[in-house]
Amino acid sequence: MIWNEIVCLGDSLTYGARDRFGRSYPAELGKILSSETGEFYICHNYGINGETSSDLLRRSWNILKSHAGAKICLLMIGTNDTKGPTPLHIYRDNLRQIINSIRANGKTPIVATLPDLEFSPYYMFNREYIDKYNDTILKMSKDMGFMVCSMDGLKDYLIDGVHFTHEGYNEVAKKWAKTIMSLK
Protein backbone atom coordinates (compact mmCIF):
# COMPACT_ATOMS: atom_id res chain seq x y z
CA MET A 1 0.00 0.00 0.00
CA ILE A 2 1.23 3.49 -0.82
CA TRP A 3 0.71 5.93 2.03
CA ASN A 4 1.41 9.58 2.62
CA GLU A 5 1.60 11.74 5.72
CA ILE A 6 0.66 15.39 6.06
CA VAL A 7 1.16 17.42 9.23
CA CYS A 8 -1.61 19.94 9.96
CA LEU A 9 -0.69 22.72 12.40
CA GLY A 10 -3.13 25.26 13.79
CA ASP A 11 -5.78 26.23 16.27
CA SER A 12 -9.46 25.26 16.71
CA LEU A 13 -10.06 25.65 12.97
CA THR A 14 -7.59 22.80 12.44
CA TYR A 15 -8.82 20.85 15.47
CA GLY A 16 -12.38 20.88 14.10
CA ALA A 17 -14.14 22.73 16.93
CA ARG A 18 -17.94 22.70 16.67
CA ASP A 19 -18.06 19.98 13.98
CA ARG A 20 -21.21 18.06 14.94
CA PHE A 21 -19.54 14.74 14.12
CA GLY A 22 -16.28 15.49 15.92
CA ARG A 23 -14.41 15.59 12.61
CA SER A 24 -12.04 18.21 11.21
CA TYR A 25 -10.54 19.40 7.95
CA PRO A 26 -7.54 17.02 8.40
CA ALA A 27 -9.92 14.03 8.60
CA GLU A 28 -11.86 15.20 5.56
CA LEU A 29 -8.66 16.04 3.66
CA GLY A 30 -7.26 12.55 4.15
CA LYS A 31 -10.50 11.11 2.74
CA ILE A 32 -10.47 13.48 -0.27
CA LEU A 33 -6.81 12.90 -1.15
CA SER A 34 -7.15 9.12 -0.81
CA SER A 35 -10.14 9.19 -3.13
CA GLU A 36 -8.43 11.48 -5.65
CA THR A 37 -5.11 9.59 -5.78
CA GLY A 38 -5.89 5.98 -4.88
CA GLU A 39 -3.21 6.23 -2.20
CA PHE A 40 -3.69 6.28 1.57
CA TYR A 41 -3.30 9.67 3.25
CA ILE A 42 -3.04 10.29 6.97
CA CYS A 43 -3.37 13.94 7.94
CA HIS A 44 -2.07 14.39 11.48
CA ASN A 45 -4.20 16.92 13.33
CA TYR A 46 -2.16 19.19 15.59
CA GLY A 47 -4.81 21.83 16.13
CA ILE A 48 -5.36 23.13 19.65
CA ASN A 49 -8.34 25.25 20.61
CA GLY A 50 -7.46 28.81 21.62
CA GLU A 51 -3.87 28.63 20.43
CA THR A 52 -2.01 31.67 19.08
CA SER A 53 0.94 31.78 16.70
CA SER A 54 3.25 32.20 19.73
CA ASP A 55 1.81 29.03 21.31
CA LEU A 56 2.26 27.09 18.09
CA LEU A 57 5.83 28.31 17.68
CA ARG A 58 6.72 26.78 21.07
CA ARG A 59 5.46 23.30 20.17
CA SER A 60 5.95 23.05 16.40
CA TRP A 61 9.56 21.82 16.26
CA ASN A 62 8.90 18.61 18.21
CA ILE A 63 5.78 17.86 16.17
CA LEU A 64 7.62 18.35 12.90
CA LYS A 65 10.58 16.28 14.03
CA SER A 66 8.30 13.41 15.09
CA HIS A 67 6.93 13.00 11.55
CA ALA A 68 10.04 12.43 9.47
CA GLY A 69 7.99 10.69 6.73
CA ALA A 70 5.69 13.65 6.11
CA LYS A 71 6.58 15.75 3.10
CA ILE A 72 3.90 18.45 3.46
CA CYS A 73 2.93 20.66 6.39
CA LEU A 74 -0.25 22.73 6.35
CA LEU A 75 -0.32 25.82 8.56
CA MET A 76 -3.41 27.86 9.49
CA ILE A 77 -2.88 30.07 12.54
CA GLY A 78 -3.79 33.56 13.61
CA THR A 79 -7.48 33.76 14.48
CA ASN A 80 -6.74 33.80 18.22
CA ASP A 81 -3.95 36.32 17.68
CA THR A 82 -6.67 38.86 16.85
CA LYS A 83 -7.90 38.82 20.46
CA GLY A 84 -4.82 40.63 21.82
CA PRO A 85 -4.07 41.55 19.18
CA THR A 86 -0.61 40.11 18.60
CA PRO A 87 1.48 42.90 17.02
CA LEU A 88 2.15 42.37 13.32
CA HIS A 89 5.93 42.14 13.76
CA ILE A 90 5.51 39.36 16.37
CA TYR A 91 2.97 37.48 14.22
CA ARG A 92 5.30 37.78 11.21
CA ASP A 93 8.31 36.49 13.15
CA ASN A 94 6.29 33.60 14.62
CA LEU A 95 5.26 32.56 11.10
CA ARG A 96 8.82 32.96 9.82
CA GLN A 97 10.20 30.69 12.53
CA ILE A 98 7.46 28.07 12.08
CA ILE A 99 7.94 28.02 8.29
CA ASN A 100 11.71 27.74 8.67
CA SER A 101 11.17 24.85 11.12
CA ILE A 102 8.88 23.14 8.61
CA ARG A 103 11.57 23.39 5.94
CA ALA A 104 14.39 22.39 8.29
CA ASN A 105 12.44 19.20 8.98
CA GLY A 106 12.20 18.40 5.25
CA LYS A 107 8.61 19.39 4.64
CA THR A 108 6.97 21.70 2.10
CA PRO A 109 5.02 24.44 3.89
CA ILE A 110 1.61 25.52 2.63
CA VAL A 111 0.06 28.39 4.58
CA ALA A 112 -3.63 29.25 4.63
CA THR A 113 -5.01 32.73 4.71
CA LEU A 114 -7.33 33.25 7.65
CA PRO A 115 -11.06 32.97 6.99
CA ASP A 116 -13.25 35.99 7.63
CA LEU A 117 -14.89 36.20 11.03
CA GLU A 118 -18.40 37.35 11.78
CA PHE A 119 -19.57 38.86 15.04
CA SER A 120 -18.78 36.73 18.06
CA PRO A 121 -18.49 37.80 21.71
CA TYR A 122 -14.98 36.34 21.84
CA TYR A 123 -13.85 38.13 18.70
CA MET A 124 -15.76 41.43 19.01
CA PHE A 125 -12.71 43.60 18.66
CA ASN A 126 -9.71 43.65 16.34
CA ARG A 127 -11.41 41.72 13.51
CA GLU A 128 -9.54 44.01 11.09
CA TYR A 129 -6.43 42.06 12.10
CA ILE A 130 -7.64 39.16 9.94
CA ASP A 131 -6.93 41.37 6.89
CA LYS A 132 -3.64 42.58 8.38
CA TYR A 133 -2.48 39.03 9.11
CA ASN A 134 -3.59 37.87 5.64
CA ASP A 135 -1.60 40.71 4.04
CA THR A 136 1.38 39.57 6.10
CA ILE A 137 0.94 35.96 4.90
CA LEU A 138 0.75 37.04 1.25
CA LYS A 139 3.82 39.30 1.51
CA MET A 140 5.79 36.61 3.30
CA SER A 141 4.86 34.02 0.65
CA LYS A 142 6.59 36.17 -1.96
CA ASP A 143 9.63 36.80 0.24
CA MET A 144 10.00 33.23 1.52
CA GLY A 145 8.62 31.34 -1.49
CA PHE A 146 5.87 29.23 0.08
CA MET A 147 2.45 28.36 -1.33
CA VAL A 148 -0.72 29.96 0.02
CA CYS A 149 -4.14 28.35 0.23
CA SER A 150 -6.91 30.94 0.22
CA MET A 151 -9.70 30.44 2.74
CA ASP A 152 -11.92 33.14 1.24
CA GLY A 153 -15.63 32.60 0.70
CA LEU A 154 -16.42 30.43 3.71
CA LYS A 155 -18.68 32.79 5.71
CA ASP A 156 -21.81 30.79 4.87
CA TYR A 157 -20.34 27.82 6.75
CA LEU A 158 -19.68 29.56 10.07
CA ILE A 159 -21.65 28.14 12.98
CA ASP A 160 -20.77 30.72 15.64
CA GLY A 161 -19.02 33.51 13.74
CA VAL A 162 -15.63 31.79 14.04
CA HIS A 163 -15.85 27.99 13.69
CA PHE A 164 -17.25 25.92 10.86
CA THR A 165 -20.07 23.47 10.47
CA HIS A 166 -19.22 19.95 9.35
CA GLU A 167 -19.93 21.08 5.79
CA GLY A 168 -17.59 24.04 6.31
CA TYR A 169 -14.70 21.82 7.35
CA ASN A 170 -15.35 19.79 4.20
CA GLU A 171 -15.04 23.00 2.16
CA VAL A 172 -11.80 23.87 3.96
CA ALA A 173 -10.49 20.38 3.14
CA LYS A 174 -11.43 20.82 -0.54
CA LYS A 175 -9.43 24.07 -0.68
CA TRP A 176 -6.39 22.36 0.85
CA ALA A 177 -6.77 19.37 -1.50
CA LYS A 178 -6.88 21.60 -4.58
CA THR A 179 -3.68 23.37 -3.47
CA ILE A 180 -1.91 20.11 -2.65
CA MET A 181 -2.93 18.52 -5.95
CA SER A 182 -1.43 21.51 -7.79
CA LEU A 183 2.01 20.43 -6.46
CA LYS A 184 2.07 17.36 -8.71
Side-chain angles (χ1 to χ4, degrees):
M1 171 186 280
I2 298 171
W3 60 276
N4 303 278
E5 286 184 79
I6 295 175
V7 175
C8 304
L9 299 176
D11 53 26
S12 58
L13 298 180
T14 299
Y15 177 79
R18 309 284 192 275
D19 184 306
R20 70 184 179 276
F21 301 115
R23 305 261 304 172
S24 61
Y25 90 70
E28 303 306 331
L29 178 60
K31 180 177 74 175
I32 291 168
L33 291 174
S34 293
S35 174
E36 291 283 325
T37 65
E39 300 174 3
F40 176 71
Y41 275 82
I42 181 70
C43 298
H44 301 286
N45 187 337
Y46 286 101
I48 294 185
N49 296 338
E51 192 159 73
T52 66
S53 61
S54 295
D55 298 323
L56 182 57
L57 174 59
R58 282 191 287 278
R59 70 183 178 95
S60 59
W61 181 266
N62 288 333
I63 292 167
L64 295 162
K65 194 163 182 62
S66 72
H67 292 288
K71 300 298 179 218
I72 295 171
C73 180
L74 307 180
L75 174 62
M76 183 164 54
I77 192 75
T79 302
N80 295 308
D81 289 88
T82 66
K83 288 182 185 178
T86 300
L88 286 175
H89 72 281
I90 299 292
Y91 179 74
R92 183 181 312 107
D93 192 60
N94 288 343
L95 286 184
R96 182 189 61 76
Q97 290 189 54
I98 294 167
I99 291 162
N100 284 339
S101 293
I102 292 168
R103 286 186 167 143
N105 280 281
K107 294 159 191 35
T108 299
I110 304 175
V111 181
T113 59
L114 302 176
D116 289 326
L117 300 177
E118 290 185 338
F119 176 81
S120 167
Y122 298 111
Y123 298 89
M124 284 175 51
F125 308 105
N126 307 320
R127 288 188 310 173
E128 74 278 3
Y129 270 79
I130 293 292
D131 291 335
K132 292 177 181 182
Y133 294 156
N134 282 342
D135 288 344
T136 297
I137 291 166
L138 294 173
K139 287 175 186 166
M140 289 180 71
S141 73
K142 291 180 181 142
D143 295 341
M144 295 182 73
F146 58 81
M147 290 183 73
V148 174
C149 180
S150 173
M151 292 297 161
D152 287 344
L154 296 170
K155 270 191 174 184
D156 291 344
Y157 297 101
L158 294 174
I159 195 167
D160 59 4
V162 179
H163 302 97
F164 295 110
T165 61
H166 175 72
E167 294 75 17
Y169 287 114
N170 272 291
E171 292 301 313
V172 170
K174 287 176 189 175
K175 287 177 175 278
W176 282 118
K178 183 177 178 183
T179 303
I180 291 166
M181 295 301 286
S182 74
L183 290 172
K184 296 186 182 226

